[in-house]
Amino acid sequence: MTSKGFTLIEHVILALLIAMLARMALPTLSASLSKLRGSREHAYVAAMKTNLVQLVMAEEDYFRDSLKYTSAVRCTTSPTRGVLNVCPSRGNVLQGPELASSDAGPGWRATMTNIALPNVTCAIFVNGAGAPYPALVEGTPLCRRPGWSGRADDTTGQIK
């Protein structure tokens, strides 16, 4: 009796060969996947920082025209009078700007998160409006994960 096809032994040997190849490729594959996750996170953070810098430029333009800051933000195709026309990138959520006054005069602060990175917060402030977490330097967006101690030598939570 002649039969066509593979025997059970041949199937088992083939399965073992595939398993050995997968086992050898797994460390390389997992390193590549973690690198991909890190680059994706970096892109989301860069988009949040860029949006906050765009907000600063829009607020300063508004201030130059009206000598005051505003908390009214809209994302419209044609500019709307009396509001900031700022459109955050897809997935970015802007909280603010929140107006504040200090000895230096009027100012504002804002924070931004991304729906893909719920544990990362970016913040910015202008004119001594009180630095929101995690902003440290006026006009410079900074992003951090929760759990950062705030000490100058602790950069474990900082995202560049």
Side-chain angles (χ1 to χ4, degrees):
M1 177 172 166
T2 60
S3 63
K4 296 182 180 180
F6 295 104
T7 65
L8 180 61
I9 301 278
E10 290 169 330
H11 279 288
V12 169
I13 292 172
L14 182 64
L16 286 173
L17 285 172
I18 290 173
M20 287 188 331
L21 289 173
R23 176 81 173 158
M24 289 188 300
L26 193 60
T28 306
L29 182 62
S30 65
S32 297
L33 288 176
S34 65
K35 190 183 278 190
L36 178 65
R37 268 186 244 111
S39 63
R40 186 175 294 151
E41 180 178 290
H42 182 72
Y44 289 137
V45 169
M48 287 190 284
K49 286 182 175 183
T50 301
N51 287 162
L52 288 173
V53 169
Q54 289 170 343
L55 180 64
V56 169
M57 292 187 298
E59 279 282 8
E60 293 306 316
D61 286 344
Y62 187 88
F63 188 83
R64 237 184 328 275
D65 292 340
S66 62
L67 298 178
K68 62 180 180 177
Y69 292 112
T70 184
S71 61
V73 176
R74 302 266 183 329
C75 181
T76 56
T77 52
S78 58
T80 305
R81 187 173 169 83
V83 299
L84 296 177
N85 290 301
V86 176
C87 298
S89 299
R90 185 173 154 201
N92 288 348
V93 180
L94 176 66
Q95 291 91 25
E98 182 181 307
L99 300 179
S101 292
S102 69
D103 295 338
W108 59 273
R109 60 181 162 242
T111 60
M112 185 169 282
T113 57
N114 186 290
I115 58 174
L117 296 175
N119 63 338
V120 175
T121 302
C122 296
I124 198 164
F125 70 100
V126 170
N127 207 15
Y133 175 84
L136 298 173
V137 179
E138 179 180 350
T140 304
L142 190 61
C143 303
R144 300 228 187 244
R145 288 185 177 89
W148 181 67
S149 70
R151 293 191 330 261
D153 61 341
D154 179 12
T155 58
T156 57
Q158 184 173 3
I159 300 172
K160 300 196 185 227

